[in-house]
Amino acid sequence: MLSLLGYLALIFTKPRTTRPKDVDVFFTSVSATTVSSMSVVEMEVFSNTHLIILTILMLLGGEVFTSMLGLLFTKSKIIPKFHDHQIDSRIDVVNTKNHFPDSNADQIELGLATHSHLENEKPQIINHMDGMNNNNKYNSIRFLGYVVLGYLLVVHIGGSILVSLYFTLVPSARHVLEKKGIEIPTFAVFTTVSTFSNCGFVPTNENMIVFKNNSGLLLLLLPQVLLGNTLYPACLRFLIWILEKITKRVEFSYMLKNYKDMGYSHMLSSLRSFLLAITVLGFIVVQVTLFCAMEWKSVAMDGLTAYQKFVASIFQTMNSRHAGESVIDLSVISPAILVLFVVMMYLPPYTTFLPTTSDCEDSDSAKGIPNPRKTLVESLIFSQLSYLAMFIILICITEREKMKEDPLNFSVLNVIIEVISAYGNVGFSTGYSCKRRLKHEGDCKDAWSGFSGRWSTQGKFILITVMFFGRLKSFSTKHGKAWKLS
């Protein structure tokens, strides 16, 4: 629904230059809503109003924002039974023995009667305690919603201000926007929202390649890439821990101890959060090391100082999971690095090395209550990797003529990169180059759009399906386990 509304808003807004095709506008709306940043048209086609619409779509489609809405739905299902100031008078009966010791038969008889009365009142006392626990859970979810909202606002407002200040203080970066006719506030807010939501759209045609010499800007955006995706659970738990130490609120303590009961998939245990942070750091180190070893003296790094090369390498590799902003042209990168990027794009954002058993248990299996109907359905469903293979085969079928006539641009590796990038909601693309064509017949104009921009309408709709499938992959991660390869 959000993609359709975005499409209607974009189609009825006047573009800056030539109006794109309807299918390309819908493709762009889906790409923004699913935070995929797969582009089929140049970004500078869109007017300032278009950029604002896309910013709203990216914000509403971002994982942190949608998870906050999920908390609201979870809270609405929990009705607090008791308030803190309401105390059941029956609880006071328990303390009568301590204050009035039995010294005669009447008191003993009274004590026995009281004991008998308490036995009858046990269910009511238990219900009271359940209500207190239910109330703690309700308040904790409410506080967690406030924390996520504050987290969202601080990163977006702070990031937008820092990016705006950078362009105000650095003439070389400001001149790029002035030359392209892009307003600094629009660029700052758009890029901050895009980076935090891990979408990867940038208002310039060249994405971040045009700013590859501005290492300061790249360093400002790097924390947002991690805060909005791979390190979000670890940062959220650390923030809640800090708030618990400062405020001493029981709600924050409840969140940390009962993270599974919060109904919030981004709340992980302290051990899992620590292992997640170590895994993310390990992936970054491995990627940066291989990228520098393979590309340090390549054409992609021409004109950069050693410091700029190092910052650009970190920026490019960190965006492979799953932001998708590019500071280097992927078409000139070695195949080994492209395959590495394919693996990184395929991995889910919370991939963890040595996860704990308790965090990996499925709720149904933990209860020991199998659902025969659900088990049968899941047995008939393929795994995610199987579906990706089907999507790649379908696209190779729809684009078979172009793969014969233009094998260098329409190579299988480029198709795989485009599909995995759409599935991972990353946005990496090798693009299309007229120089790589074997037959130079007809007019060909290079454009700063993704490789899928040259696909047929059928191929684009298949990739739209892949973007939706990738954005909702959390609902199908456990499918395909009935298929055993032996």
Side-chain angles (χ1 to χ4, degrees):
M1 290 296 296
L2 190 59
S3 298
L4 289 174
L5 290 175
Y7 163 74
L8 293 175
L10 292 172
I11 204 70
F12 288 113
T13 304
K14 185 178 180 181
R16 180 185 298 180
T17 57
T18 307
R19 182 179 295 277
K21 299 177 182 178
D22 288 353
V23 62
D24 293 339
V25 175
F26 180 66
F27 188 100
T28 303
S29 177
V30 173
S31 187
T33 307
T34 59
V35 292
S36 301
S37 74
M38 304 298 295
S39 62
V40 290
V41 295
E42 293 183 335
M43 288 299 296
E44 292 175 26
V45 168
F46 299 113
S47 63
N48 192 69
T49 306
H50 279 117
L51 295 179
I52 294 175
I53 295 172
L54 290 174
T55 302
I56 296 173
L57 292 177
M58 291 186 295
L59 176 64
L60 298 180
E63 181 63 29
V64 176
F65 185 85
T66 54
S67 68
M68 185 175 65
L69 295 182
L71 278 175
L72 294 178
F73 287 119
T74 302
K75 188 183 73 171
S76 65
K77 296 178 181 179
I78 303 175
I79 302 176
K81 298 180 181 179
F82 297 90
H83 296 287
D84 293 334
H85 65 275
Q86 291 178 329
I87 301 176
D88 195 331
S89 59
R90 295 186 183 93
I91 302 298
D92 294 336
V93 179
V94 180
N95 297 323
T96 57
K97 292 184 180 181
N98 297 328
H99 295 289
F100 303 99
D102 300 331
S103 58
N104 54 44
D106 294 335
Q107 289 177 333
I108 293 174
E109 184 178 354
L110 177 62
L112 292 174
T114 303
H115 178 73
S116 176
H117 179 69
L118 283 175
E119 289 294 331
N120 295 330
E121 295 295 329
K122 274 185 179 181
Q124 296 176 347
I125 297 175
I126 293 174
N127 289 338
H128 176 85
M129 300 306 295
D130 290 341
M132 294 291 290
N133 185 64
N134 194 69
N135 196 37
N136 287 335
K137 183 177 181 180
Y138 177 85
N139 289 331
S140 298
I141 293 176
R142 182 166 58 91
F143 272 73
L144 180 58
Y146 295 150
V147 172
V148 175
L149 177 61
Y151 186 95
L152 198 70
L153 292 176
V154 169
V155 174
H156 280 96
I157 295 174
S160 299
I161 293 174
L162 290 175
V163 173
S164 297
L165 285 176
Y166 183 87
F167 280 96
T168 303
L169 299 175
V170 180
S172 61
R174 185 173 65 251
H175 292 161
V176 173
L177 296 186
E178 292 175 351
K179 183 179 179 181
K180 294 178 176 293
I182 302 174
E183 300 177 5
I184 292 179
T186 302
F187 182 91
V189 175
F190 184 98
T191 306
T192 299
V193 172
S194 177
T195 304
F196 180 78
S197 64
N198 273 220
C199 180
F201 272 148
V202 178
T204 59
N205 288 339
E206 306 89 345
N207 205 276
M208 294 301 294
I209 296 177
V210 70
F211 298 112
K212 65 180 181 180
N213 294 318
N214 300 105
S215 299
L217 176 61
L218 303 182
L219 292 175
L220 285 177
L221 297 177
L222 281 178
Q224 300 175 35
V225 174
L226 298 175
L227 291 175
N229 193 7
T230 52
L231 284 185
Y232 173 59
C235 294
L236 179 63
R237 186 175 181 87
F238 180 72
L239 176 60
I240 294 173
W241 180 79
I242 293 293
L243 292 174
E244 192 269 337
K245 294 297 182 183
I246 296 175
T247 64
K248 306 297 182 181
R249 298 281 307 191
V250 67
E251 289 83 2
F252 296 125
S253 178
Y254 185 91
M255 293 179 208
L256 297 175
K257 295 177 181 178
N258 303 276
Y259 58 93
K260 288 185 178 181
D261 296 334
M262 300 303 296
Y264 192 59
S265 61
H266 304 289
M267 279 293 295
L268 306 179
S269 67
S270 57
L271 178 59
R272 176 73 188 276
S273 299
F274 174 75
L275 292 175
L276 174 63
I278 295 298
T279 303
V280 171
L281 179 62
F283 281 148
I284 293 173
V285 171
V286 170
Q287 287 188 90
V288 171
T289 302
L290 293 177
F291 191 90
C292 290
M294 298 291 296
E295 307 296 334
W296 191 262
K297 296 182 179 180
S298 67
V299 179
M301 296 286 197
D302 283 350
L304 301 179
T305 64
Y307 172 73
Q308 291 172 340
K309 288 181 179 180
F310 183 68
V311 173
S313 300
I314 296 177
F315 187 86
Q316 189 67 44
T317 53
M318 283 179 60
N319 273 271
S320 65
R321 302 185 65 221
H322 292 266
E325 294 175 3
S326 293
V327 74
I328 292 172
D329 185 3
L330 295 184
S331 64
V332 298
I333 290 180
S334 61
I337 299 299
L338 291 178
V339 173
L340 175 64
F341 284 169
V342 168
V343 175
M344 292 295 115
M345 290 188 294
Y346 176 76
L347 294 176
Y350 300 159
T351 299
T352 309
F353 179 68
L354 292 179
T356 58
T357 305
S358 59
D359 288 331
C360 298
E361 289 181 351
D362 185 81
S363 58
D364 292 336
S365 61
K367 294 178 182 178
I369 306 175
N371 188 334
R373 184 176 179 182
K374 184 178 179 181
T375 304
L376 177 61
V377 172
E378 289 183 347
S379 299
L380 299 176
I381 297 177
F382 294 101
S383 65
Q384 292 179 328
L385 192 59
S386 301
Y387 284 117
L388 289 177
M390 295 177 190
F391 287 132
I392 292 172
I393 292 172
L394 288 175
I395 290 173
C396 288
I397 292 173
T398 61
E399 311 303 320
R400 60 187 180 277
E401 295 299 328
K402 295 179 181 178
M403 295 182 78
K404 292 179 181 178
E405 298 174 358
D406 193 4
L408 296 183
N409 280 306
F410 281 83
S411 65
V412 177
L413 178 59
N414 288 349
V415 172
I416 292 175
I417 292 171
E418 203 80 3
V419 172
I420 300 298
S421 180
Y423 165 78
N425 305 126
V426 180
F428 275 173
S429 178
T430 55
Y432 184 93
S433 176
C434 295
K435 296 179 181 179
R436 291 199 294 265
R437 293 196 310 169
L438 298 181
K439 300 179 181 179
H440 295 279
E441 301 174 356
D443 296 331
C444 181
K445 182 180 179 181
D446 285 323
W448 287 99
S449 60
F451 172 47
S452 53
R454 304 282 179 156
W455 292 9
S456 63
T457 302
Q458 296 89 336
K460 291 177 182 177
F461 272 109
I462 293 174
L463 204 63
I464 287 174
T465 305
V466 175
M467 287 190 285
F468 277 123
F469 179 68
R471 186 65 183 87
L472 302 173
K473 57 179 168 282
S474 59
F475 297 101
S476 59
T477 52
K478 299 182 183 300
H479 291 164
K481 291 185 176 181
W483 298 85
K484 303 297 182 183
L485 304 180
S486 59

